Structures are given as structure tokens and as C-alpha cells.
Amino acid sequence: MVDAPLVTTGGEDMASLDADLLQLPEMSTFVLNSRPDFTQKLFDQWLSLPESHRQVASLLQDAMSGAPLNVPGSASGSGPGTTNSLPSMFPAGSAPPLSPRSCGSPRTMKQRAPSNLGSPLKVLNEPVKESIPQFYFQNGRPPPSEIKEQCMFRVNHFFYGHTDGLQIQEFKLVTREICKLPSFFSTSLFRKIDVNSTGFVTREAFIDYWVNGNMLIMDMTTQIFKILKQQNQNFLVKEDFKPLLKELLATHPGLEFLQGTPEFQERYAETVTYRIFYYINRSGNGRLTFRELKRGNLIDAMLHADEEEDINKVLRYFSYEHFYVIYCKFWELDSDHDFLIDKENLMKYGNHALTYRIVDRVFSQVARKFTSKIEGKMGYEDFVYFILAEEDKSSEPSLEYWFKCVDLDGNGIITRNEMQFFYEEQLHRMECMAQEAVLFEDILCQIIDMIGPEDESYITLNDLKGSKLSGNVFNILFNLNKFMAFETRDPFLIRQERENPTLTEWDRFAHREYIRLSMEEDVEDASNGSAEVWDESLEAPF
């Protein structure tokens, strides 16, 4: 009764017979599958063996009783210690040799994977869902927990006992100690947080802006840009610097003497702003971008101004002496004191150093459009740009300014004819002053040697920026005094440059002029003091 279904050799049974179940490691599975008649005979012979009968009967009893089946290939008998109890078809040592093709083939080397006898379906593993960390944060990546905890500790310390928040006078320490910003940013930062103008900044409002808004982990340039700019703008304008400079004037010890003269406080703030935009706003559109701010040196100058009590030692942008020189030079040229100068006024600059032709080009506004609304007049802001360009020709803004003036046709190159056009007036002035005239051909060779342009038939702006002597080219063409000083190689100027190589041409000029102007003012004050009547017409601008 047990043997009947096992001996059945119908076509369906043979078709479903798995050659691997015969347990014949001596023969290839491929050979058994390709010769079903031979395989059937082997199976019948194996089934007729007494030992096979006992093995099959034992398996049937285990299956009927529900015990785990110990068969080759099952999970319970697949361990390394399991022995194969089914007898081999071939006596020991009588197995036929394998063909060379079969030796080591993947088919013979493959091991049968454990099967699940409880289900005929193949079990598929569920794909593991990989958790992708968040990579986008609307306000930037949150600060690390350690940095946040340190900041919160300091916030709690400064806001302790101020349940209503801090007033603007008390907020300065928060600006410097927690935010690590220059102290004169206190007002701008306070107003940025106190959007409702309550006059107080609470602990929660500060945390929401500085910590939750991720200002904590931003670099200082980004922090300053976000604090100063208007809400819906991605650039800075001159008006954005007014609150900053107003607080600097009110709190810096080096500017306390100006508190009694608010009109000069305003002029100082304007001059600082113009200098900032002259050097940093390279596009010249009056809109200072984040990239321009990051590439400039304004942040370092701000930090220096906050740490240095002597404001005159902050040569970049904030020096009062530099402002004094600019303003006094403008005041000297503005003969009618209407705060506007014309061509005739500008011709007097530097003891009539400039030529008529270059002054005409300046007033043609090809280098920069005047902010003055009166035609043919230059305002104070326009003069600041002019004097910085004239006295610091080693800087890139100056090279760009004068390149546009000399490039008559605006084609981006300076040709021999354009240089000769400007030098003709220089030559004429030298002859009138009985100076030894230098022919243009000789000057042209000298210019080519100094610049070393890629094409000697013309000079480009990149050629000028690549040479340290570019400023002398423009002096040769339209500034007679500086041209003669360059030709004679003034030993005093050479010694100054060697003693202070970090100073720019503007720094040295401003220092000399401030000494001259201060000495003139001292003499004027002494003469006025000896007189019994005060003459207001002789009063200096300060």
C-alpha cells in the first residue's frame, strides 16, 4: 500500500522527477535529465533495494505523525554534520569518470539551496527601505547641538532678570559677546529683531531670530548682509549703511569730538559710504551684492574699527583724517561754496596738474555718471570718486575709471592715436614751462616696456591690471606734476614706499595732505587769534 504511488512510472511522474533527488553525485545532472529512460531504470532499481524500502517507509511515518522530515536538502538536515542515509547506485570505486568539461563546472559545483517543504511557493525577501536623511532646510542646516547649547547658556545669562526683554542700550553686549559682531551693529540688529518697534527684544524673539533662524552658524559676511539689507532685496544700497555709521559716530571714542558738529558727522558718514561703494561695488550700479561684499575687505575694516580706539589707524574706509583731506580738497575747489564744482574749478586741482582734455572727459561722464542734477556740475559724491581714482591709480577701480576716459571710441582698447591725443597737451605744457620735451615716440616705447601688452599695437584693460606700473601710464598722459616726479624719481617718495610697503598711494597722499592742511589751519588760527576782529571768510571748514 505504501509502495504503490512510489513505483508509479507514468509520464506525468517522470516529467516531474527531479534528477537531483536521486542523490547521484557520481553522475552529472545534465546527463540524467537528457536521458529520461535511463534515469527511470536507475530509479526503479534504487526503489527495489531493501534499504530504500526501509528509508521510504520511515519518511512516510514521520510525515503522517507530523515529525520534521530528515531528508537531504531540507532545513533540518542540511547542517554540516548531517549524513546522507540514501544508498548510492554505484558500488564504491566503480563510478564512471567525469568528462573534462564537467570538472569544476558551475552545474556540478552548485549547491542546492534549502527548500521550504511547507509551501510550494518561493519566498521573496521584502526590500529594505533605506532612510534618506534630510538634505534641504529652508533656513539652512540647524546648528550642531553642542554649539546650540553653548549659545543658549550665554543667552540665558544675558537675558536673566529681564522678563520684558532688553532695551537698545542693553543690547550692545549681546551683539558683541553672543553674536560676535562689531558693537556698532547693535542698533541695526536690534531693529531687525524688534519688527514691531516695541523698544524691547525678548529672549524668545532673539532665540527665534538668531538660533532658530540659523544665523548662529552663518559666516560673518552672511550675517552682516542679512542684517543690513532690506527684507525684499538681495543687495545693499547706501541708505542701508546709515544706521550703522550713525551708531559708530555716537559710540566710537575716536569720533567723540564730532558730536558737537552734526553737519560734519553727516559728511563723514557720507564719505565713508562713498568710499565703500567705490572700492567694493565694482559694477558701479549702486547695488552692493553679497558676492561683492564677500570679495571685499569691508568686514575686516569693520572689526578693526570696533577694536581700535584711534579711528585714524583704520585706513580702510573709516579714517577721519582721510575724510578730512577729501572734504577740504573739495572745499578748496568749490570757490562759491554751493557744494558743486565745474570744469574751471577742477582744473585747479593739484596745482593745475591735469590737462583740459582729461577734465573734459571726466565731465563727459564716460567713466561714471554724475549724481549731481545740475548739468556741467560735479557734486561731492562725484568728487570723492574722482579724487580716489586720481590719487590711487594702482587700484583696479582707478584703472577702470581712467581707462574709460582715455578710450575715446569706447571699443575696449587704447590705441597709439588715443594716447598721442592726450600726450600732445602734455608736450605743449612742457614746452611752455621750458622743460625738456620728450617725444611721443620715446614715450610710447616707454609705455610698452612698462605694460608689456599682448599686442603692442594697442593696450587693453587686462594689460594694465597685469602691471604694477600702470598708474604711471595715465600720469604720463594727463598729469604733468606726477609725470615729472616719475621722471626725476623723487628719492623722498621712493624712501616712503620702502619704509611702508603696505601703504597704498592713497594712504601716502592722504597722510601728506593732512599734515599740510593741519599746518595751514594752525597758521590761520594763530593769525586770527592775533586779530581783534574775527573774519568769518577766513574760517576753515572745521
Side-chain angles (χ1 to χ4, degrees):
M1 182 176 179
V2 174
D3 297 338
L6 296 176
V7 183
T8 301
T9 58
E12 295 181 0
D13 294 335
M14 279 304 302
S16 61
L17 180 62
D18 191 344
D20 290 341
L21 295 177
L22 293 178
Q23 297 290 312
L24 298 175
E26 300 89 346
M27 299 192 66
S28 171
T29 304
F30 173 75
V31 175
L32 296 175
N33 288 333
S34 62
R35 299 180 63 183
D37 295 338
F38 174 71
T39 304
Q40 181 62 37
K41 290 180 181 180
L42 289 176
F43 178 71
D44 292 341
Q45 185 179 356
W46 174 81
L47 197 60
S48 64
L49 297 175
E51 187 177 353
S52 300
H53 274 272
R54 289 192 298 270
Q55 181 72 28
V56 172
S58 175
L59 291 173
L60 287 175
Q61 290 178 1
D62 291 342
M64 293 175 64
S65 63
L69 300 179
N70 185 18
V71 295
S74 67
S76 61
S78 59
T82 305
T83 59
N84 186 1
S85 60
L86 295 181
S88 174
M89 290 297 299
F90 298 98
S94 62
L98 297 175
S99 66
R101 182 178 180 181
S102 300
C103 293
S105 66
R107 292 180 179 272
T108 59
M109 298 297 293
K110 182 181 69 173
Q111 296 181 355
R112 185 175 181 85
S115 61
N116 187 352
L117 298 180
S119 174
L121 299 179
K122 185 176 181 181
V123 179
L124 299 178
N125 292 329
E126 291 291 333
V128 179
K129 294 182 179 180
E130 183 179 357
S131 178
I132 301 176
Q134 183 178 354
F135 59 88
Y136 172 75
F137 302 88
Q138 184 176 1
N139 296 322
R141 185 176 296 276
S145 58
E146 182 179 355
I147 297 178
K148 185 176 180 179
E149 289 175 1
Q150 293 177 357
C151 180
M152 292 299 297
F153 176 79
R154 298 178 69 84
V155 169
N156 294 334
H157 172 71
F158 281 101
F159 280 87
Y160 179 77
H162 299 83
T163 56
D164 296 332
L166 298 177
Q167 295 182 346
I168 193 168
Q169 299 85 355
E170 304 165 322
F171 195 70
K172 188 181 293 290
L173 283 177
V174 174
T175 304
R176 185 162 186 173
E177 299 298 330
I178 297 180
C179 304
K180 306 299 182 181
L181 295 172
S183 58
F184 50 89
F185 271 82
S186 178
T187 300
S188 299
L189 180 59
F190 186 93
R191 293 176 179 174
K192 201 76 174 182
I193 302 175
D194 184 23
V195 292
N196 297 323
S197 301
T198 61
F200 291 89
V201 168
T202 62
R203 173 184 175 276
E204 291 72 21
F206 178 79
I207 293 174
D208 185 60
Y209 179 82
W210 192 256
V211 180
N212 298 338
N214 288 340
M215 292 285 285
L216 173 62
I217 59 173
M218 294 178 183
D219 61 274
M220 186 173 293
T221 305
T222 307
Q223 293 172 347
I224 289 177
F225 186 78
K226 286 182 171 291
I227 292 172
L228 294 182
K229 77 178 186 70
Q230 299 300 317
Q231 184 175 1
N232 298 322
Q233 293 180 347
N234 59 351
F235 53 84
L236 300 176
V237 295
K238 297 181 180 70
E239 291 293 323
D240 296 332
F241 288 87
K242 279 190 173 181
L244 189 74
L245 295 172
K246 183 178 181 180
E247 184 171 1
L248 177 68
L249 284 161
T251 59
H252 198 284
L255 296 170
E256 289 181 354
F257 67 97
L258 279 180
Q259 293 182 3
T261 55
E263 64 274 15
F264 292 122
Q265 284 185 323
E266 183 179 354
R267 295 301 177 199
Y268 170 83
E270 288 178 356
T271 306
V272 171
T273 305
Y274 298 154
R275 293 183 66 185
I276 290 173
F277 275 76
Y278 171 81
Y279 283 106
I280 299 182
N281 182 217
R282 303 303 300 279
S283 60
N285 59 359
R287 296 181 173 185
L288 191 62
T289 64
F290 173 75
R291 182 180 180 183
E292 291 173 329
L293 181 64
K294 195 173 186 65
R295 294 177 63 181
N297 57 357
L298 178 60
I299 306 301
D300 292 335
M302 288 178 171
L303 292 172
H304 188 193
D306 192 46
E307 298 169 357
E308 179 59 61
E309 292 187 1
D310 186 357
I311 196 67
N312 293 318
K313 292 183 179 180
V314 188
L315 301 180
R316 303 287 81 81
Y317 313 112
F318 296 99
S319 170
Y320 176 81
E321 290 182 356
H322 290 189
F323 154 70
Y324 185 86
V325 169
I326 294 173
Y327 188 85
C328 287
K329 297 292 285 186
F330 180 81
W331 187 263
E332 288 177 350
L333 298 178
D334 182 19
S335 56
D336 56 359
H337 303 313
D338 60 350
F339 231 64
L340 295 169
I341 58 178
D342 55 19
K343 288 183 182 180
E344 294 301 322
N345 297 139
L346 193 61
M347 283 298 303
K348 301 174 184 177
Y349 180 83
N351 196 19
H352 297 83
L354 301 174
T355 63
Y356 282 98
R357 291 180 178 179
I358 197 63
V359 171
D360 285 338
R361 290 293 288 172
V362 171
F363 274 82
S364 68
Q365 304 179 41
V366 292
R368 180 182 180 274
K369 295 292 182 183
F370 288 171
T371 57
S372 170
K373 304 300 181 182
I374 302 177
E375 186 177 356
K377 298 282 188 177
M378 173 189 284
Y380 179 66
E381 179 180 350
D382 308 316
F383 178 78
V384 172
Y385 276 72
F386 163 79
I387 191 173
L388 292 175
E390 170 58 25
E391 302 301 340
D392 191 11
K393 291 190 177 76
S394 62
S395 65
E396 289 194 3
S398 175
L399 295 177
E400 294 170 1
Y401 185 95
W402 295 117
F403 184 89
K404 293 176 182 178
C405 290
V406 178
D407 183 15
L408 297 174
D409 53 6
N411 62 348
I413 60 174
I414 297 178
T415 62
R416 168 194 174 104
N417 293 335
E418 288 170 333
M419 288 187 283
Q420 187 173 10
F421 171 78
F422 287 98
Y423 186 72
E424 284 177 351
E425 188 174 352
Q426 288 279 71
L427 186 60
H428 177 69
R429 298 176 74 187
M430 285 188 287
E431 292 173 350
C432 293
M433 297 173 62
Q435 295 284 344
E436 182 180 357
V438 183
L439 298 179
F440 176 72
E441 287 72 16
D442 297 332
I443 287 296
L444 182 61
C445 292
Q446 188 177 5
I447 290 175
I448 296 300
D449 290 340
M450 286 192 299
I451 302 302
E454 293 184 6
D455 190 328
E456 294 187 357
S457 61
Y458 59 83
I459 295 176
T460 66
L461 182 58
N462 287 334
D463 293 334
L464 292 172
K465 290 182 178 181
S467 173
K468 295 182 179 180
L469 300 175
S470 299
N472 295 317
V473 173
F474 294 120
N475 291 332
I476 291 172
L477 296 179
F478 53 75
N479 190 313
L480 184 59
N481 295 347
K482 291 183 179 180
F483 174 38
M484 299 306 297
F486 174 72
E487 285 293 303
T488 56
R489 301 295 196 278
D490 188 345
F492 175 73
L493 297 179
I494 295 175
R495 188 174 69 253
Q496 274 191 329
E497 294 177 4
R498 291 176 179 175
E499 290 176 354
N500 298 294
T502 59
L503 297 181
T504 64
E505 292 182 12
W506 164 257
D507 296 332
R508 285 188 282 267
F509 165 79
H511 180 68
R512 294 193 305 269
E513 284 298 305
Y514 182 79
I515 294 176
R516 181 186 68 83
L517 291 169
S518 59
M519 291 177 63
E520 291 180 355
E521 186 174 354
D522 290 341
V523 172
E524 188 173 353
D525 289 344
S527 62
N528 290 336
S530 62
E532 296 181 357
V533 180
W534 181 270
D535 187 0
E536 293 183 356
S537 63
L538 298 177
E539 185 178 0
F542 293 93

